Amino acid sequence: MSTPQLAAFKVPVVENEPMRSYAVGSAERQGLEAALAQMQQELPFEVPCIVNGKPIRTGKLAKQPIPSDHARHLCTYHEADESTVASAIDGALSAKAEWEAMPWNDRAAIFLRAAELVSGKYRYRLVAATMLGQGKNAWQAEIDAAAELSDFFRFGVKYVEELYAQQPPKNAAGSWNRVEYRALEGFVLAVSPFNFTAIGGNLPGAPALVGNTVIWKPSPAATYSNYLVYQILAEAGVPPGVIQFVPGPPPEVVAQAISHPSFAALHFTGSTFVFKKLWKDIAANLDKYRGYPRIVGETGGKNFHVIHKSAEIRNAALQTIRGGFEYQGQKCSALSRLYVSSSLWTSGFKDQLLSEAAKIKVGPPSDFSNFMGPVIGRPAYDKIMGCIQKAKDAGGEVLIGGVGDDSKGYFIQPTIILTKDPQSVTMCEEIFGPVITVYVYDDADYEKTLELIDNTSPYALTGSIFAGDRKALIVATNKLRNAAGNVYYNEKCTGAVVGQQPFGGARGSGTNDKAGSISIFYRFVSARSMKENFVGLEDFQYPSNLI
């Protein structure tokens, strides 16, 4: 693919995608309701594997249930078998040279077009698929499948332009120094989660943007929305073979990919347990590889709010409701443990927290009045209800909620547990559901409580500090420096926006490579320094050699 470079192009100015409110009577509410109705008439859909741009129907079928109505399923998908994965890897390696050689402005244009398709032509269909398949209400699906996905693509282009522009600041006389940012040698494996359609697009999209080819294994519980994302990328112009769409059983597909000598990187979002296992498996395969694979992962969280005695009560209560119960607590960043000063707890915070939680409606996302929908499936439902029971058995007091109904969908009421033991099970273990556990501390023990927060959990993803007293914010910021990769002042611990709050945590929460920023792209390139000399030597000796 030879083409002259006749100008230094500059990408368009990018902005965050405006979010639509879906207010009663609005055009977007009507458009989304129509998309939901059409999708419910047309389902279940059939989803093939896509290898080298062609559908592969293996005949090994699995279903993606609708979590709010588990007797029905959104799609039937063909699981990739061993030969399909092998073909996908071979095809990705074959497609790599031409994709990497494509001029940057053309690769950029493809992803900018994909962003326009996401935010325009396919917006309502993506949002509807995320509502039905992943159980999000309209607003949560909008900020994910429409806004964040568009932002990942647009800001990704901006960040890669900035990355490529980073060049050596000095050149010795008669020479020119340059750096190029090569795609990795081999292929990237992207393993995406159920809870964000946007992450499904970003995990293969970010490596592909810098010239890599990708094997993409979507979550079984997000198969259909992720298939739509794949189709959008193909329509935008991503060539066949650059992103291979291979739904299937995670252990088998992933094991085959990471056993291949050309495996170059893992881009992962999912559980800490699985990520640690994959890291060990990759290490065990190290002698097979041509290089040292990059491992990029964002995993779990045991995220906190700490409420100082100087906090504004109503804001802290409402932010806590949203942080813990938006999307049923199924965000990696969701609030799970809450530390409240005793004076605030008894002077209105407790009452406001419980009264607001009591207002939450739970039910199918297709009913726009429901703030909460279902949890994602049977294993999640059973685990969450089991955690609530463990808390009760350990002496925790359920202040509200604590019950579920799985007769039609996997619905769990928003649950707030009061504990006197800051090391109790629901203060320590990740739940990934609509459960907040409260520990009330003496006002005088604020700094001790900060140390407790830092040492209670192996995770370090997000956290929030609520205080009107600036000194209290500073003290907490310093004490909790390593307790969260994203920290918020007087704001809930969820809702990082691409281009505004780069997202990721350390410790047991991942590699903290900051999705939504330039940082993530460094992990999928391999820099090569180049020096060109314009003036030849006249002698090999140094002046110091002369007598």
Side-chain angles (χ1 to χ4, degrees), residues 71-94:
R72 304 162 67 212
H73 56 284
L74 181 58
C75 73
T76 299
Y77 61 94
H78 292 259
E79 294 189 314
D81 53 22
E82 186 175 348
S83 65
T84 303
V85 175
S87 296
I89 293 171
D90 291 343
L93 294 173
S94 297

Side-chain angles (χ1 to χ4, degrees), residues 271-291:
S271 77
T272 301
F273 174 81
V274 171
F275 187 56
K276 286 183 175 180
K277 181 182 186 305
L278 293 180
W279 198 304
K280 293 173 185 176
D281 292 343
I282 291 166
N285 291 334
L286 203 56
D287 291 337
K288 295 181 180 181
Y289 305 135
R290 298 193 69 178

Side-chain angles (χ1 to χ4, degrees), residues 96-112:
K96 184 172 182 294
E98 186 172 339
W99 175 242
E100 186 179 11
M102 180 181 286
W104 158 238
N105 59 282
D106 291 294
R107 263 189 281 129
I110 288 171
F111 279 86
L112 290 175

Side-chain angles (χ1 to χ4, degrees), residues 165-177:
Q166 293 183 17
Q167 295 297 314
K170 292 289 185 180
N171 297 284
S175 67
W176 184 14
N177 298 312

Side-chain angles (χ1 to χ4, degrees), residues 1-3 52 89-104 107 164 181-187 208 210-214 239-243:
M1 186 186 299
S2 179
T3 184
N52 301 326
I89 293 171
D90 291 343
L93 294 173
S94 297
K96 184 172 182 294
E98 186 172 339
W99 175 242
E100 186 179 11
M102 180 181 286
W104 158 238
R107 263 189 281 129
Y164 287 166
Y181 298 90
R182 304 167 296 179
L184 302 179
E185 191 174 13
F187 68 90
V210 287
N212 294 286
T213 52
V214 185
V242 170
I243 296 176

Side-chain angles (χ1 to χ4, degrees), residues 14 17 25 50 124 141 298 317 339 350 387 399 418 429 432 437 439 474 519:
V14 298
E17 174 64 23
I50 306 290
Y124 297 142
E298 191 264 299
Y339 302 82
K350 174 186 176 182
C387 287
L399 300 179
L418 179 64
E429 294 182 7
F432 222 63
T437 303
Y439 175 72
I474 293 171
S519 301

Side-chain angles (χ1 to χ4, degrees), residues 194-259:
F194 78 85
N195 59 340
F196 278 88
T197 301
I199 296 177
N202 190 52
L203 263 57
L209 189 54
V210 287
N212 294 286
T213 52
V214 185
I215 307 300
W216 178 15
K217 200 221 77 64
S219 166
T223 299
Y224 186 64
S225 67
N226 286 191
Y227 178 58
L228 294 179
V229 173
Y230 173 86
Q231 290 179 310
I232 288 168
L233 289 167
E235 183 174 333
V238 174
V242 170
I243 296 176
Q244 310 278 46
F245 186 76
V246 286
E252 290 86 342
V253 173
V254 171
Q256 187 175 347
I258 66 175
S259 297

